């Protein structure tokens, strides 16, 4: 078995699963101050590990920014974040302490991407992008079966993009204004429209602006890593599937025939929804844990 913790902005999910991605137990803890939340998570893990179960690893899929560089003395620490009390907290050390198993850590979106690779729609693909448009814009860009990373994890959701001609809205990202997240995430849609996104008409011009910003990000992702497929999900996309044709059309218009590939020619099969749905979040840390445990140890021994 493998244990996982998904650290989210509003809730944290503790998961116990088999190496096949079958969820055996799931427990939620509200994300409050770390002094409150981390002991609650540790209590759940303590119960699972203490019950004599053969648990081979712990995966942590965290909100960012978080130091994911194994060579860094700050590995496992949360970076600068507006979440009260969390900046500088050593989440990997605190949660892994005393469990005597390998601890693997990455961002929530990289975890979800690897879960789609192991058990979902990305099975068999070594190069793909997993994009979620929700409260923020997150991208897990997988190259050669691994999330791209250098001194830290990527933050493609904050890339700057070309604007629709004449659109001068300042955007809602507190750091960059009109980066993709500042133009296309849920809070940006609410800030621009002044109403709940669910009340905006399907043919409102805002969807073109949102779809254009997302397509511009995909343009850059295609040119950076030539992913074989792009999975596009999250709360905004799930609720507004009319964005798919807009994004596909705007992506092709933006690339303007410069990149030719069989993948891009079949755009309906290139920009597609992921398949794990709400399971991608909790299975993210399990996929991270699975990557750290040797395959031989994960093999299920058949009954004699
Ligand atoms: P998170 O990103 O927090 O993990 P989700 O992927 O579920 O969560 O996305 C939540 C976001 O989806 C919210 O910011 C919300 O504004 C947005 N959202 C919810 N309902 C709709 C809707 N009907 N249309 C567009 N956006 C929506
Ligand atoms: Zn930004």
């Amino acid at each position: 078995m493998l244990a996982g913790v998904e650290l989210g902005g509003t809730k944290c999910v503790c998961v116990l699963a088999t190496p096949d991605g079958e969820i055996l137990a799931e427990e939620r803890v509200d994300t409050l101050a770390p002094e409150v939340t981390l002991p609650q998570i540790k209590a759940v893990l303590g119960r699972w590990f203490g019950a004599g179960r053969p648990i081979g690893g712990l995966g942590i899929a965290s909100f960012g920014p978080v130091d994911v560089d194994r060579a860094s003395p700050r590995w496992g620490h949360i970076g600068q974040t507006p979440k009260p009390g969390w900046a500088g907290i050593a989440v990997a050390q605190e949660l892994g302490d005393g469990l005597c198993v390998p601890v693997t850590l990455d961002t929530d979106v990289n975890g979800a991407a690897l879960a789609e690779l192991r058990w979902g729609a990305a099975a068999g693909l070594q190069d793909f992008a997993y994009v979620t448009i929700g409260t923020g814009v997150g991208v897990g860009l997988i190259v050669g079966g691994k999330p791209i990373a250098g001194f830290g994890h990527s933050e493609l959701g904050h890339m700057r993009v070309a604007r629709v001609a004449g659109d001068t809205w300042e955007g809602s990202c507190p750091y960059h204004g009109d980066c993709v997240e500042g133009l296309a995430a849920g809070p940006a849609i609410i800030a621009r429209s002044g109403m709940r996104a669910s009340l905006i008409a399907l043919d409102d011009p805002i969807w073109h602006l949102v779809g254009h910003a997302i397509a511009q990000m995909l343009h850059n992702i295609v040119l950076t890593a030539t992913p074989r497929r792009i999975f596009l999900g999250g709360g905004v996309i799930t609720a507004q599937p009319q964005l798919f044709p807009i994004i596909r059309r705007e992506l092709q218009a933006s690339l303007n025939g410069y990149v030719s590939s069989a993948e891009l020619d079949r755009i309906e099969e290139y920009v597609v929804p992921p398949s794990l749905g709400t399971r991608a979040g909790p299975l993210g840390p399990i996929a991270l844990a699975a990557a750290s445990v040797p395959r031989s140890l994960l093999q299920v021994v058949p009954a004699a």
Side-chain angles (χ1 to χ4, degrees):
M1 291 177 207
L2 297 165
V5 177
E6 186 196 8
L7 294 173
T10 55
K11 65 171 182 350
C12 299
V13 185
C14 307
V15 202
L16 188 65
T18 68
D20 299 332
E22 186 196 338
I23 296 175
L24 303 170
E26 199 172 313
E27 295 199 27
R28 272 146 209 271
V29 170
D30 286 339
T31 307
L32 306 168
E35 315 80 82
V36 178
T37 301
L38 292 177
Q40 289 180 343
I41 298 173
K42 281 178 75 74
V44 175
L45 295 176
R47 249 191 292 123
W48 289 347
F49 279 79
R53 292 189 172 98
I55 302 175
L58 173 69
I60 302 171
S62 176
F63 58 78
V66 59
D67 192 331
V68 298
D69 180 6
R70 279 275 176 188
S72 159
R74 303 287 296 168
W75 175 80
H77 291 60
I78 300 287
Q80 283 309 317
T81 171
K83 287 180 189 51
W86 284 88
I89 296 292
V91 287
Q93 288 80 349
E94 292 226 11
L95 294 179
D97 183 41
L99 298 181
C100 302
V101 291
V103 177
T104 317
L105 167 87
D106 212 322
T107 60
D108 42 8
V109 69
N110 280 339
L114 293 176
E116 288 286 349
L117 171 59
R118 210 170 258 271
W119 303 294
L125 295 175
Q126 291 296 292
D127 307 289
F128 67 96
Y130 173 87
V131 178
T132 139
I133 316 289
T135 307
V137 173
V139 180
L141 185 53
I142 307 297
V143 175
K146 294 200 168 88
I148 55 160
F151 64 79
H153 52 81
S154 61
E155 286 282 2
L156 291 154
H158 289 272
M159 73 168 70
R160 296 188 187 280
V161 293
R163 301 289 301 268
V164 170
D167 177 29
T168 56
W169 184 59
E170 67 273 21
S172 69
C173 174
Y175 293 91
H176 318 112
D178 64 350
C179 66
V180 187
E181 182 166 305
L183 291 172
I189 296 168
I190 294 167
R192 191 199 274 256
S193 66
M195 63 171 102
R196 278 178 31 207
S198 57
L199 300 177
I200 304 172
L202 288 182
D203 60 353
D204 191 289
I206 196 172
W207 299 122
H208 175 75
L209 298 169
V210 169
H212 180 272
I214 296 168
Q216 286 296 301
M217 175 177 72
L218 299 190
H219 170 121
N220 293 327
I221 290 173
V222 167
L223 297 184
T224 302
T226 62
R228 294 194 185 275
R229 210 165 302 156
I230 295 173
F231 299 96
L232 185 57
V236 172
I237 299 290
T238 308
Q240 307 291 340
Q242 81 280 6
L243 284 168
F244 270 103
I246 300 173
I247 292 165
R248 290 174 182 137
R249 191 177 63 234
E250 292 295 318
L251 172 59
Q252 280 192 318
S254 182
L255 290 171
N256 198 24
Y258 181 72
V259 182
S260 60
S261 80
E263 278 88 353
L264 278 164
D265 287 345
R266 294 192 298 273
I267 194 82
E268 276 82 15
E269 296 165 34
Y270 186 67
V271 180
V272 294
S275 72
L276 292 175
T278 54
R279 284 192 303 141
L283 284 179
I286 300 295
L288 295 174
S292 77
V293 177
R295 270 196 182 276
S296 55
L297 290 181
L298 291 177
Q299 236 120 60
V300 178
V301 180

